Amino acid sequence: MTASRIKVTPSGASLGASVTGVDLSKPLETDEIAAIRAAWLEHLVLAFPNQPMSHEDLERFTQYFGPFGDDPFIAPIDGHPHIIEVKRAANEKASVFAAAWHSDWSFQDTPPAGTILHSKITPPVGGDTLFCNGYAAWEALSDEMKAKLEGLEAIHSAALAYAPDGVYGENDAKDRSMTIRAAPEARNTKAHPIVRVHPETGRKALFINPGYVKTVKGLTDEEAFFLLVELYGVTHDERFVYRHEWEPDMLLMWDNRCTQHMATGGYDGHARLMHRTTVAGP
């Protein structure tokens, strides 16, 4: 069994693990894919150090875990319609991209199952990515709060980020090295249950995030605001957060169905480049 060479080392935090003993630049065996999926479902975020990969390698690895997802509002790289660049130039003055808690594309009708990010250029300092555990947040709630949340739906939208007047809208584009395509369609909304049952594990997780959630269906804006603030206070508690430190040629995959994440800065004067793919839901 080739999977027997794979070693999974938990991060020690509420989520996250490092995976070694596998070469992602080569086609994987069925048992290797199964072992990685099992580790992914258990640890939510997996890091694979020392993995030089071509575009084709990244595309092949992504499709082991599902079809490609749709990446709206960000232009793909030439010749590879399912790979987008997450980059920041050394002299860039725009705000750090994705520096707010979010779950990727949660405003879609069927949000993506996962995201895969491969490091090409990493700064010598800063640039960590934070992740939090939606399972642990749900389990930490009181029975009274759990009962209150059952049946409630959050209203998700990309307007704050990708509408023409959003954070990455028309006034932002001239200062940013990434090719972001803001559009009026970002104002569309989609309701999703606040308490989500994971389609593979059957576990309950909080499925909300401040990046894309506007309000809560059936509540006044004030009621929704105070409820969401309370829930974010639990979700982003340091007990449930993993800080990922990047290395060159590292691949990271995470489960969008039960996590949130955010980028951090701290590397002004240094370039950073990542290549990203999306695994379609459920």
Side-chain angles (χ1 to χ4, degrees):
M1 292 280 287
T2 53
S4 62
R5 298 195 297 267
I6 295 178
K7 181 179 180 182
V8 180
T9 305
S11 68
S14 175
L15 67 168
S18 178
V19 181
T20 55
V22 62
D23 183 352
L24 303 186
S25 70
K26 299 177 181 179
L28 300 184
E29 300 293 336
T30 301
D31 60 329
E32 292 177 307
I33 298 167
I36 292 170
R37 180 178 286 278
W40 185 43
L41 295 177
E42 179 180 357
H43 298 288
L44 318 187
V45 180
L46 296 182
F48 298 78
N50 302 314
Q51 297 286 348
M53 297 172 72
S54 67
H55 297 329
E56 291 77 14
D57 295 335
L58 180 58
E59 291 165 333
R60 182 183 61 249
F61 179 80
T62 301
Q63 292 186 288
Y64 290 140
F65 301 95
F68 289 117
D70 175 38
D71 288 306
F73 311 122
I74 301 175
I77 65 175
D78 290 343
H80 296 272
H82 301 293
I83 300 178
I84 61 176
E85 285 188 330
V86 179
K87 65 179 179 179
R88 183 176 175 83
N91 61 350
E92 193 162 324
K93 302 302 180 185
S95 62
V96 173
F97 178 71
W101 285 108
H102 64 287
S103 178
D104 286 332
W105 310 147
S106 69
F107 52 83
Q108 292 181 327
D109 289 349
T110 303
T115 301
I116 297 174
L117 197 60
H118 187 251
S119 61
K120 296 295 185 181
I121 300 173
T122 56
V125 294
D128 297 348
T129 305
L130 304 180
F131 293 88
C132 65
N133 187 332
Y135 292 143
W138 163 255
E139 292 163 1
L141 298 177
S142 67
D143 290 342
E144 180 182 10
M145 178 59 82
K146 288 179 178 178
K148 180 178 181 179
L149 295 179
E150 290 289 358
L152 286 182
E153 294 184 318
I155 305 299
H156 297 243
S157 171
L160 181 64
Y162 297 108
D165 57 350
V167 173
Y168 306 123
E170 294 167 352
N171 291 331
D172 175 79
K174 63 181 182 297
D175 298 320
R176 189 171 297 278
S177 56
M178 286 181 64
T179 306
I180 297 177
R181 301 185 290 202
E185 290 76 18
R187 299 192 178 97
N188 295 342
T189 61
K190 178 64 180 180
H192 292 298
I194 288 178
V195 183
R196 179 175 185 176
V197 178
H198 194 288
E200 294 189 72
T201 67
R203 297 177 64 188
K204 290 182 176 179
L206 289 184
F207 189 67
I208 50 170
N209 66 86
Y212 295 131
V213 169
K214 293 180 57 133
T215 188
V216 177
K217 190 175 180 178
L219 301 186
T220 67
D221 286 346
E222 183 178 20
E223 290 169 337
F225 173 81
F226 284 110
L227 175 61
L228 291 169
V229 166
E230 183 175 356
L231 295 178
Y232 294 147
V234 177
T235 308
H236 305 145
D237 187 289
E238 62 181 9
R239 294 173 296 166
F240 310 137
V241 172
Y242 161 61
R243 176 180 285 269
H244 178 72
E245 298 180 6
W246 288 92
E247 301 170 1
D249 291 323
M250 174 176 277
L251 182 136
L252 197 71
M253 64 184 298
W254 62 87
D255 193 330
N256 276 298
R257 300 164 291 190
C258 53
T259 67
Q260 297 176 43
H261 61 280
M262 67 175 288
T264 67
Y267 56 96
D268 286 352
H270 301 282
R272 186 176 185 266
L273 174 63
M274 310 277 177
H275 285 167
R276 192 180 102 174
T277 56
T278 300
V279 181

